[in-house]
């Protein structure tokens, strides 16, 4: 399984949903909580091509996007192959 990184904020319901979906798939992930952490937030924005919302999800070197993007991949049957 490729490494998964998810940038989050503790109060974000979309972050919770993304983590729940990944957990349901049996995927381990590194969570980077960016609330009040400018260096981590700047890293996320740079890696995400300027996107500033959370969550921002990376599977291996691929930027997946946010929860809606992750969920769309799952609905299309494209998430499981990425996680394999």
């Amino acid at each position: 399984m490729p490494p998964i990184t998810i940038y989050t904020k503790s109060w974000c319901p979309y972050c919770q949903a993304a983590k729940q979906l990944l957990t349901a798939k049996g995927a381990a992930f590194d969570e980077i909580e960016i609330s009040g952490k400018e260096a981590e937030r700047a890293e996320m924005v740079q890696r995400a091509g300027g996107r500033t919302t959370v969550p921002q999800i990376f599977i291996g070197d691929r930027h997946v996007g946010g929860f809606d993007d992750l969920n769309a991949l799952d609905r299309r049957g494209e998430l499981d192959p990425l996680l394999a």
Side-chain angles (χ1 to χ4, degrees):
M1 186 174 290
I4 300 170
T5 303
I6 179 170
Y7 291 86
T8 66
K9 289 188 176 181
S10 60
W11 51 263
C12 169
Y14 293 103
C15 298
Q16 296 300 322
K19 293 188 296 185
Q20 288 173 350
L21 177 56
L22 290 169
T23 299
K25 296 283 184 181
F29 52 86
D30 290 321
E31 179 178 3
I32 301 174
E33 215 287 342
I34 66 167
S35 297
K37 299 175 183 171
E38 278 306 309
E40 288 84 351
R41 183 182 182 284
E43 174 186 283
M44 177 197 79
V45 171
Q46 188 274 326
R47 285 187 72 191
R51 291 178 76 176
T52 59
T53 58
V54 289
Q56 291 299 318
I57 304 158
F58 297 84
I59 299 176
D61 291 331
R62 179 177 174 170
H63 176 229
V64 172
F67 170 70
D68 290 339
D69 304 304
L70 182 71
N71 197 36
L73 280 174
D74 189 39
R75 285 193 317 263
R76 292 192 308 262
E78 297 174 14
L79 181 57
D80 289 337
L82 276 179
L83 298 175

